[in-house]
Amino acid sequence: MATLEADTPRQVTQVREQLHETFDGVVDDSDIAHHKGNGYEQRFLSRALAALAVRRLAKCSATEAASFVTDGIADQGLDAIAPLPDSGHVLLVQAKWSDQGSATFDVVAATKMVDGLNRIESELYQQFNERAATLAQEARPLLITGKTILVIALMGTVRPSPPALEVLQNALNEFNRHGARLSIEVLLAKDFHEQIHADLRPDPICLEVRLDDWYQQKGPLEAYQGTVAAELVADWFEGHGTALFEHNLRAPLGTTVTNAAIGQTLTSTPTTFWHLNNGITMICDGLEVRHDSAKSPQSRPTTLTVRGASVVNGGQTVRAVARAMHDDGETAANATLSIKIINTKGDKQFGIDVSQAANRQNAIEQRDHIALEPVHQAIKANLRAELRKHYVIKRGDQPPAPETGCSLDELALALACLHPDAEQAARASSSMENLWELGPKGSHTVLFHREPSPQKVWRSVLTLRAARSAVYEAGSELSSELSGREAAVAEHGGSLITHLLFQHLGGASIDDPDFDWDSEVLEKIPALVPELVRRLAYQIELTSPRREVRVMFKSATDCQDLAFQVLEQVADGIIIPEPTAKLRKPRRRNTVPLLVDRRVIKEGTLLWYKGQTEPERRALEDWLIEDERRRQATWVNHRTKSILWAYDGQQYSPSGLVSKMWWDAGWDDRPVANQGTTRWHLADGHTLWGLAQRIHREDGEEIDDQEAEALTQGSLTPTDI
């Protein structure tokens, strides 16, 4: 999906933000503090870029890197001089900042840089400013005995020009006559962009894992399984917190019935904990083994040094163990638990595969699997780098304060409302679970197929919040003025109202940095929402006076029709007209998408095939008896392929699978088409089609005589409806 790659303007924006966050108050700016506005900004950014170049190559702290900055009057073409005696290197840096990401390095710059090098070589320290002179003196011995690197740091995309490189090459030829002492390193915008993201990533976790009763799993991947003390597991959580679950599908959920039961076992019967708990699964990037016995290692405990450790299954167990150790450490310390450690050797995709496979249980939701999608990691990194906002992805993590960031749930809802098709807002109104659906037409795929820019993320979330607040005001403070239908619109129509706000006020300009989002969108929302509430209520009264308002906002077709009518009226400034004629009956939703949107069937529910006609039953019965799996399937919340056939483990549409079964059974007189949703039954006897008809009836949609007759002939009766 998305990566951390960014175009040059975004790289510039993100690097600028992180230069300020990292080096404000760290880089010495006392000699440029009197400059105002852009005059100060350009000077500061040049110095900070030089410091970042040193930090990248020397792998030192920001404070240490800033101490090497010499930029200013009499720097002699060297913006940073970094003597590094531990490595025997000297870094001589010239940095060029550009707000457009177009910094270049020409002959003049190259000449100045070589001139500064020669002054250090000639010990002309008095010709440098005070800071540069001190650093030049420290660097001079390393020019003779060590390695010197001329570092060209450009906030741009183009390498130095050939004439400039010729000047530098002449210097290399002179200095390297008696050995390779001098080299050149060019850093461009992409290198600095990569560095600031590396700085924002948490340091890999390193753990000492003491295993009893252990063994090494045979196979292509290095893996160990054994028993670990609860006290050690608690120490891990104490030292690293939720960072320990970086690659898990979700963070620990806190106080739950399951976690309470785990804690009860730890503090009441700790010696049975190993027997009653599934243990934990950990992945890592690398590990080292130290055996207690050289001759018979498996007869004694062993210690694994695990690098890049992450618990991908058993997060609830780890947190419960830590809490039990805190509450009653003396008792809980008697507990042990099983652990499996897999060395992925840095293979991120395999790490994701392990996390997802280890969590295939009913307690894991589709939203938890979504949390590992690369697009969300990219959003998190870029939002932090560019706007200094936090993006909380995993269920169970503490959401950020509103002014400091947003969550995955909030962003998904905002993007659903922003989408030009009102169907996405309807899906969100029906169930937030719809927003995690994958596949070509799944909402998550539609909304996140391309990484939204940090600006789009933050503006969409701010708009959602402003709309929610305004809708709440319309439904509470103005309740005395609203009709019953208007009050229902304010209560249930928040997603569609937010969609209308985006479309009317400039959703297409959300990525335009010159578009004043505050004044053109956010400030207009409070006044516009009451008008939209009244227009929606009027339109519903006009077209569907007997329909339940709440239900209409869950229908894609209804929301699309309402959005079209209301946006057209608002754009044209039309005063709400008197109703002239009853509109035609809206088209019914197809059965499978309707069942998926309403989540009336739990994923994994068993289904059975039953032929509808006598010829059909005779043609298939022997074939079905040969293997009973042929008549069995499970339900999958997928808009097109909702049937997982037990016989071959593949997904089909209800009608598509029936057609395949007819063909495979060799039924020569089979019909050309079929209504598959009437042939797949749940355990209680309901058919997929019958469940859809019940929803239509609950929504106030009339069922004609033919449909009513079909209902009585099928598994549903009028009383069932």
Side-chain angles (χ1 to χ4, degrees):
M1 285 192 177
T3 67
L4 293 181
E5 294 296 330
D7 55 25
T8 302
R10 282 186 61 189
Q11 289 176 342
V12 172
T13 299
Q14 294 182 11
V15 172
R16 179 195 291 112
E17 287 298 317
Q18 292 310 303
L19 288 178
H20 275 293
E21 182 166 342
T22 304
F23 294 109
D24 276 346
V26 180
V27 166
D28 184 4
D29 63 352
S30 57
D31 60 322
I32 61 173
H34 63 282
H35 290 281
K36 304 297 181 184
N38 197 50
Y40 171 85
E41 178 77 355
Q42 297 303 307
R43 290 171 172 82
F44 170 81
L45 290 173
S46 177
R47 295 184 180 191
L49 192 68
L52 186 61
V54 172
R55 172 163 166 70
R56 179 175 177 84
L57 297 179
K59 302 189 185 307
C60 61
S61 69
T63 301
E64 187 177 4
S67 71
F68 296 131
V69 173
T70 59
D71 185 28
I73 297 173
D75 62 20
Q76 304 303 344
L78 301 176
D79 298 325
I81 301 173
L84 306 170
D86 290 344
S87 63
H89 286 68
V90 175
L91 306 179
L92 303 180
V93 183
Q94 187 173 130
K96 303 288 186 183
W97 174 266
S98 167
D99 287 340
Q100 291 74 41
S102 57
T104 57
F105 188 84
D106 57 17
V107 171
V108 174
T111 302
K112 288 183 178 180
M113 194 174 200
V114 172
D115 184 55
L117 170 65
N118 287 326
R119 289 173 194 255
I120 297 176
E121 167 70 13
S122 301
E123 301 182 84
L124 300 176
Y125 307 128
Q126 72 279 6
Q127 296 180 5
F128 289 88
N129 63 46
E130 183 179 355
R131 178 186 293 274
T134 301
L135 292 169
Q137 282 183 290
E138 295 177 15
R140 175 65 170 71
L142 295 176
L143 260 66
I144 307 302
T145 62
K147 303 287 186 181
T148 301
I149 304 175
L150 300 180
V151 182
I152 303 166
L154 303 176
M155 198 59 203
T157 60
V158 180
R159 295 181 64 81
S161 66
L165 289 176
E166 185 176 337
V167 172
L168 298 179
Q169 187 60 51
N170 291 337
L172 261 65
N173 293 339
E174 182 177 351
F175 272 80
N176 292 338
R177 281 183 298 177
H178 303 292
R181 295 187 299 151
L182 188 66
S183 62
I184 300 171
E185 181 82 26
V186 180
L187 300 177
L188 300 175
K190 63 181 179 60
D191 299 304
F192 294 114
H193 184 253
E194 177 185 278
Q195 183 62 40
I196 60 116
H197 279 284
D199 288 343
L200 290 172
R201 286 192 289 268
D203 293 332
I205 292 175
C206 186
L207 300 175
E208 295 289 305
V209 183
R210 179 77 168 171
L211 289 180
D212 285 304
D213 303 322
W214 63 276
Y215 69 92
Q216 182 176 4
Q217 178 65 37
K218 295 180 180 180
L221 292 174
E222 188 178 22
Y224 290 81
Q225 187 155 359
T227 300
V228 65
E231 188 172 6
L232 181 60
V233 174
D235 288 343
W236 298 343
F237 187 78
E238 184 70 24
H240 301 284
T242 57
L244 198 60
F245 315 111
E246 178 67 20
H247 300 293
N248 204 334
L249 297 183
R250 67 183 182 199
L253 299 179
T255 303
T256 66
V257 173
T258 300
N259 292 349
I262 294 174
Q264 179 66 28
T265 303
L266 286 163
T267 55
S268 59
T269 55
T271 56
T272 67
F273 188 72
W274 184 94
H275 305 81
L276 300 176
N277 187 269
N278 291 330
I280 59 180
T281 300
M282 179 184 292
I283 62 173
C284 63
D285 297 329
L287 57 81
E288 296 175 358
V289 185
R290 300 193 310 275
H291 298 306
D292 280 11
S293 171
K295 293 183 178 180
S296 181
Q298 286 188 305
S299 65
R300 301 284 299 279
T302 192
T303 301
L304 307 182
T305 300
V306 181
R307 300 185 303 276
S310 181
V311 173
V312 297
N313 183 246
Q316 317 301 325
T317 296
V318 171
R319 187 158 191 169
V321 166
R323 179 174 291 276
M325 286 296 301
H326 178 271
D327 294 342
D328 187 358
E330 185 175 350
T331 302
N334 294 308
T336 60
L337 60 155
S338 175
I339 185 172
K340 179 166 62 176
I341 302 172
I342 302 171
N343 182 8
T344 67
K345 297 181 179 180
D347 186 337
K348 293 183 179 180
Q349 183 55 54
F350 186 75
I352 292 174
D353 293 342
V354 172
S355 181
Q356 292 180 333
N359 286 285
R360 283 177 182 154
Q361 51 185 307
N362 291 334
I364 296 298
E365 300 176 2
Q366 176 63 15
R367 185 229 187 276
D368 299 323
H369 290 281
I370 288 298
L372 293 183
E373 289 290 323
V375 66
H376 295 297
Q377 305 304 321
I379 292 171
K380 180 177 183 178
N382 287 320
L383 190 65
R384 175 69 179 83
E386 191 164 319
L387 299 181
R388 305 191 202 181
K389 305 295 183 184
H390 298 283
Y391 181 50
V392 172
I393 303 172
K394 295 177 183 176
R395 190 165 60 98
D397 273 342
Q398 184 70 23
E403 66 276 7
T404 65
C406 64
S407 67
L408 166 58
D409 300 77
E410 195 172 25
L411 176 59
L413 180 57
L415 294 181
C417 296
L418 171 64
H419 195 275
D421 189 344
E423 179 180 3
Q424 299 303 324
R427 291 184 185 181
S429 291
S430 185
S431 171
M432 279 291 291
E433 288 298 308
N434 290 325
L435 300 186
W436 318 130
E437 184 184 346
L438 297 172
K441 296 182 180 180
S443 287
H444 184 271
T445 304
V446 171
L447 300 177
F448 291 99
H449 72 286
R450 183 177 301 169
E451 179 203 345
S453 69
Q455 180 171 257
K456 183 175 183 179
V457 168
W458 194 239
R459 283 180 169 181
S460 64
V461 168
L462 290 179
T463 305
L464 174 68
R465 292 173 180 173
R468 280 175 163 175
S469 178
V471 170
Y472 176 79
E473 293 295 328
S476 57
E477 292 185 7
L478 302 179
S479 59
S480 59
E481 303 176 13
L482 297 177
S483 69
R485 192 170 293 276
E486 289 170 345
V489 168
E491 181 179 357
H492 301 292
S495 294
L496 183 58
I497 292 171
T498 306
H499 169 79
L500 296 175
L501 290 168
F502 274 122
Q503 305 311 307
H504 177 64
L505 294 177
S509 302
I510 197 166
D511 264 324
D512 182 357
D514 297 325
F515 187 77
D516 190 344
W517 195 260
D518 285 353
S519 62
E520 295 299 324
V521 178
L522 299 181
E523 293 175 7
K524 294 181 179 180
I525 287 175
L528 186 55
V529 164
E531 179 186 351
L532 293 176
V533 169
R534 290 184 170 87
R535 286 184 179 273
L536 282 170
Y538 179 83
Q539 196 65 32
I540 293 172
E541 183 67 33
L542 175 66
T543 60
S544 308
R546 297 183 180 180
R547 297 280 305 284
E548 187 178 352
V549 172
R550 172 182 60 83
V551 171
M552 294 189 69
F553 289 122
K554 297 179 180 181
S555 164
T557 303
D558 288 331
C559 285
Q560 289 164 336
D561 291 343
L562 287 169
F564 175 79
Q565 295 294 336
V566 171
L567 288 173
E568 188 177 62
Q569 293 168 9
V570 173
D572 295 340
I574 296 175
I575 298 175
I576 299 175
E578 294 294 330
T580 56
K582 187 175 181 180
L583 299 183
R584 64 180 176 83
K585 182 179 178 181
R587 181 174 60 86
R588 291 271 182 84
R589 291 288 310 278
N590 289 335
T591 294
V592 171
L594 178 63
L595 295 176
V596 170
D597 278 349
R598 297 301 177 85
R599 302 283 161 165
V600 295
I601 307 175
K602 186 176 181 180
E603 187 148 322
T605 297
L606 293 177
L607 302 172
W608 284 267
Y609 167 84
K610 294 182 181 179
Q612 274 202 314
T613 66
E614 189 58 29
E616 179 183 357
R617 289 189 284 269
R618 286 198 305 268
L620 270 71
E621 190 57 23
D622 290 341
W623 180 77
L624 292 171
I625 291 174
E626 288 177 6
D627 193 327
E628 283 297 318
R629 294 178 301 166
R630 289 171 173 167
R631 67 170 89 242
Q632 298 172 11
T634 55
W635 174 261
V636 179
N637 279 312
H638 190 284
R639 289 178 193 285
T640 55
K641 298 180 178 181
S642 59
I643 304 293
L644 179 64
W645 198 18
Y647 181 68
D648 65 1
Q650 301 297 310
Q651 287 182 227
Y652 302 86
S653 68
S655 297
L657 180 51
V658 170
S659 293
K660 175 178 174 55
M661 292 168 68
W662 287 354
W663 173 272
D664 290 351
W667 185 15
D668 295 332
D669 297 326
R670 61 187 180 278
V672 176
N674 70 82
Q675 188 177 0
T677 54
T678 64
R679 290 170 165 83
W680 289 102
H681 296 242
L682 282 72
D684 59 5
H686 291 167
T687 66
L688 302 180
W689 185 83
L691 288 176
Q693 301 315 301
R694 184 170 66 181
I695 295 173
H696 290 313
R697 179 65 64 85
E698 290 174 348
D699 288 356
E701 298 175 2
E702 295 180 2
I703 298 179
D704 58 33
D705 293 339
Q706 183 178 358
E707 290 172 332
E709 181 180 355
L711 279 174
T712 60
Q713 293 177 353
S715 61
L716 288 179
T717 66
T719 55
D720 289 324
I721 300 174

